[in-house]
């Protein structure tokens, strides 16, 4: 039997890793660390640092790095993602069979939280569907959305109002969600907010949240939209990758 622990590690900030995550990490017989190429080497470097700092016996815990399969950029987005998940599940299964042939505990360090715009749970389900006996443990982590609101010192929702969480792709396709006072946008390839009315929409934007390169901008879209797009491009050119998120509302939340 394999116990697969999906360990939410927040934004990679050591101070954001929970005690439950530390326990799960130290209980693992095998830790799998994905490599996403040179452009995103910061991401695996942070995972390596977490293992180095948080493992009580780092020299005895087996840590295996692997190259994460790439997603096809074809227009059939959902089909491409489905094929991508299948490829990742195949790599996971191969590594688990190779390094834990008699069973044991596997730790996967998941950026943010496994429940919010992360596919680790769906990929794990593919292992079970393929006949592998897997007992899943989910360790929640601090999300970038929580760090965004904390760093901007704002509540997530307007008083007694709902929050809509979506992606940049959906925001471009569908515009402002109906019956939403506040909209949180993740996985934006860049500037989806520019498709919205600029005069009456307020934005709280953040990139590399929780890291030493963190960048924050807030204001009415009419005043900061171009600034965010320019700054985002500069940061991506400098670091080779970017993770950003933003919150939108029709009025300041405080």
């Amino acid at each position: 039997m394999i116990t697969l622990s999906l360990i939410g590690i927040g934004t990679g900030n050591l101070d954001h890793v929970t005690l439950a995550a530390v326990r799960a990490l130290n209980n693992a017989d095998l830790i799998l660390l994905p490599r996403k190429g040179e452009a995103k080497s910061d991401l695996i470097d942070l995972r390596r640092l977490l293992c180095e700092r948080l493992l009580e016996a780092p020299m005895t815990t087996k840590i295996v790095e692997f190259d994460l399969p790439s997603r096809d950029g074809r227009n059939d987005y959902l089909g491409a993602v489905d094929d991508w998940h299948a490829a990742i599940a195949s790599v996971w299964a191969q590594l688990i069979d190779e390094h834990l042939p008699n069973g044991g505990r596997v730790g996967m360090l998941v950026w943010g939280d496994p429940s919010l715009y992360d596919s680790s749970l769906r990929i794990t389900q593919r292992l079970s569907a393929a006949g592998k006996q897997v007992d899943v443990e989910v360790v929640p982590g601090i999300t970038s959305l929580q760090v965004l609101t904390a760093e901007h010192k704002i509540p997530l929702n307007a008083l007694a109002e709902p929050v809509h969480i979506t992606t940049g792709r959906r925001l471009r396709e569908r515009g402002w969600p109906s019956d939403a006072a506040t909209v949180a946008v993740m996985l934006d390839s860049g500037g989806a907010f520019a498709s919205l009315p600029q005069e009456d929409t307020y934005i709280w934007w953040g990139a590399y949240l929780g890291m030493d390169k963190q960048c924050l901008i807030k204001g009415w879209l009419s005043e900061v939209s171009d600034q965010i797009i320019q700054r985002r491009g500069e940061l991506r050119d400098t670091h080779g990758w970017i993770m950003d998120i933003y919150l939108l509302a029709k009025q300041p939340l405080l």
Side-chain angles (χ1 to χ4, degrees):
M1 169 68 78
I2 291 294
T3 297
L4 180 55
S5 297
L6 302 178
I7 306 169
I9 59 170
T11 59
N13 187 322
L14 277 168
D15 292 338
H16 293 172
V17 180
T18 67
L19 293 176
V22 174
R23 282 195 296 271
L25 193 65
N26 279 284
N27 286 337
D29 302 304
L30 169 68
I31 297 173
L32 298 179
L33 301 182
R35 292 188 296 255
K36 297 186 177 182
E38 285 301 316
K40 295 184 177 181
S41 60
D42 286 356
L43 299 181
I44 192 165
D45 286 344
L46 282 169
R47 285 182 167 96
R48 290 170 180 151
L49 179 63
L50 290 177
C51 290
E52 177 185 330
R53 297 283 183 85
L54 300 177
L55 284 173
E56 296 171 0
M59 301 304 294
T60 59
T61 302
K62 183 176 291 187
I63 300 175
V64 174
E65 298 183 5
F66 66 97
D67 293 321
L68 192 72
S70 299
R71 176 168 60 85
D72 193 322
R74 66 181 190 263
N75 291 333
D76 175 20
Y77 175 76
L78 292 180
V81 170
D82 187 63
D83 290 344
W84 182 44
H85 289 172
I88 296 173
S90 177
V91 172
W92 285 10
Q94 178 183 348
L95 292 171
I96 291 170
D97 288 343
E98 178 181 350
H99 296 283
L100 288 181
N102 298 316
R105 301 184 68 91
V106 182
M108 298 287 301
L109 277 60
V110 177
W111 215 254
D113 181 87
S115 71
L116 184 59
Y117 282 104
D118 181 84
S119 293
S120 298
L121 281 163
R122 297 183 181 91
I123 297 168
T124 301
Q125 189 176 41
R126 289 176 178 269
L127 298 178
S128 299
K132 184 175 290 293
Q133 289 187 314
V134 179
D135 182 26
V136 181
E137 174 188 44
V138 178
V139 180
I142 292 176
T143 68
S144 58
L145 186 53
Q146 292 168 282
V147 181
L148 178 74
T149 55
E151 292 296 321
H152 279 292
K153 302 177 181 61
I154 55 171
L156 177 59
N157 62 296
L159 186 61
E161 293 288 352
V163 176
H164 187 100
I165 303 176
T166 189
T167 65
R169 178 189 297 269
R170 291 300 189 192
L171 190 67
R172 285 190 182 90
E173 292 175 349
R174 302 179 182 181
W176 190 273
S178 61
D179 194 34
T182 307
V183 179
V185 183
M186 306 180 70
L187 304 179
D188 185 1
S189 60
F193 50 78
S195 64
L196 299 174
Q198 302 288 289
E199 296 298 329
D200 63 348
T201 305
Y202 203 90
I203 185 169
W204 297 264
W205 176 84
Y208 310 108
L209 292 167
M211 304 180 192
D212 56 6
K213 57 175 73 74
Q214 175 176 289
C215 181
L216 302 172
I217 298 175
K218 66 179 180 179
W220 294 104
L221 281 182
S222 58
E223 299 173 357
V224 301
S225 179
D226 291 343
Q227 178 188 351
I228 292 172
I229 292 172
Q230 178 180 347
R231 185 63 177 141
R232 188 184 190 278
E234 292 170 351
L235 290 168
R236 183 165 189 167
D237 289 343
T238 299
H239 302 295
W241 64 280
I242 191 166
M243 280 187 180
D244 62 338
I245 183 174
Y246 51 91
L247 194 65
L248 300 165
K250 293 303 182 180
Q251 60 185 9
L253 293 174
L254 286 177

